[in-house]
Amino acid sequence: MITIKTAEQLENMRKAGHLLALCHKQIAHRIRPGVTTREIDSFAEQFLEKHGAKPEQKGYMGYPYATCASVNDVICHGLPNNEPLKNGDIVTIDMVVNLNGWLADSAWSYPVGTVSPRVRQLLQTTLRALEAGIRQAVVGNRIGDIGHAIQSLAEKEGFSVVRQFVGHGIGQRIHEEPVVPHFGRPGTGQRLQEGMVITIEPMINMGDWKAKIDTDGWTARTVDGQWSAQYEHTVAITSNGPQILTKL
């Protein structure tokens, strides 16, 4: 069942999103060659605790960390580790903040040092695809309009859109209805209503869109070893257009 949020509930989620955006801003200053994703994870957890929040995904279905850290060919759900990041890598840091029982979810792909022109194009295209999807998140549109906008932009640039992992509703639980695919046909799917809150989180690959799961049961990689990027915001559907809850 889709939960419609009140103005007060949206404000609670906006506060969680603001804190998450602050955390990402601090992480951006820490991404550099030689740092480890375990160090980033520890920083994020301490930052949230300092501000009276907690990382909602830690313990979710047994997940052991505060963040997901996905490097290069890892699409999502990468486990933070002690391997230093290298110049030219990309890393996606994804986290869910719980502030006073209300959640916000955002992922961001960061270049490590200097990346290749094609990788930079991947990052820029993925961010533009997110923005294109958000522009479709208006009252009266349908879920398929969001996915179609993302897919059209990404494929025009020669990239592919991951199908196995999608956006979702969010509120006091990480995953609520509706499901929000990042591909599809316009004019199809659930109609967007005022008060809905969803995540839009396209994962865009340089090669094949398919994913495979590592033996750890979490890490999702591209099947062909090509790299993947992701940007995600939590977005409220309002009468004044889409409101991004996870930005400063």
Side-chain angles (χ1 to χ4, degrees), residues 71-108:
V71 179
N72 297 342
D73 68 321
V74 177
I75 297 170
C76 61
H77 303 158
L79 304 178
N81 60 46
N82 291 317
E83 182 176 348
L85 294 171
K86 302 185 298 295
N87 184 63
D89 286 345
I90 57 174
V91 58
T92 301
I93 304 298
D94 184 8
M95 71 185 96
V96 182
V97 168
N98 181 328
L99 182 64
N100 300 322
W102 290 94
L103 308 182
D105 188 358
S106 178
W108 216 253

Side-chain angles (χ1 to χ4, degrees), residues 158-202:
F159 299 114
S160 65
V161 180
V162 173
R163 267 59 161 183
Q164 292 102 313
F165 304 98
V166 296
H168 49 86
I170 187 171
Q172 292 187 295
R173 293 176 293 118
I174 293 181
H175 295 118
E176 298 182 353
E177 293 183 11
V179 170
V180 185
H182 304 112
F183 58 95
R185 294 182 292 112
T188 63
Q190 174 71 43
R191 191 175 295 279
L192 300 174
Q193 306 170 56
E194 184 176 0
M196 291 172 62
V197 181
I198 60 175
T199 70
I200 302 177
E201 48 183 295

